[in-house]
Amino acid sequence: FVGDIAGTFGCLLGLSPTVTAITFVALGTSLPDTFASYEAAIESDNADASIGNVTGSNSVNVFLGQGLPWLIASIYYASRSEKYQVSAGDLGFSLVVFLPCAVICILLFFVRRYKCGGELGGPVKPKQLSALVMVLLWLIYVLMSTLQSQGLISV
């Protein structure tokens, strides 16, 4: 349902399916996790449950959401004695952009732990700065992936 709505919205805006997937579909599937993580952070004495929810949810999305269809397709084609192969496409570029953003995010958590006493909350200015950095990391990823998918930058 989220994919169909996002695809229609992206088509109305003239966005490519890649851009629609990394923005609207990802946002639509991540918002429930965001609210669950918020509740976990409010209800807990530490951020472990909140951060664990996000990382666990994303792991399930990636490993089951991509792995299970791949496994089913591989078994299907193997039963027909055919080779199942999908080209990587833009995955390499996406990883090159994502990995530095993820490392910066993890480093930010470590800095917050030692400077603010915890990963979440704390003094207002560092909290707002951390939120700004996280949003900027997401915008960088979306911008770079969009420019690459539209052919404006090449690898």
Side-chain angles (χ1 to χ4, degrees), residues 61-113:
N61 288 344
V62 170
F63 298 130
L64 283 180
Q66 292 177 348
L68 195 57
W70 175 84
L71 177 65
I72 292 168
S74 297
I75 292 170
Y76 171 76
Y77 282 101
S79 71
R80 298 178 60 190
S81 299
E82 296 179 29
K83 183 179 179 182
Y84 179 69
Q85 184 175 350
V86 178
S87 69
D90 300 332
L91 183 60
F93 179 81
S94 182
L95 286 174
V96 167
V97 175
F98 175 78
L99 287 176
C101 290
V103 168
I104 291 169
C105 178
I106 291 168
L107 290 174
L108 179 63
F109 281 139
F110 279 113
V111 168
R112 287 190 51 78
R113 173 173 283 184

Side-chain angles (χ1 to χ4, degrees), residues 96 132 137 152:
V96 167
L132 179 65
L137 289 173
L152 298 173

Side-chain angles (χ1 to χ4, degrees), residues 116-132:
C116 302
E119 289 85 4
L120 300 176
V124 174
K125 291 292 183 190
K127 185 170 44 175
Q128 290 174 340
L129 181 62
S130 297
L132 179 65

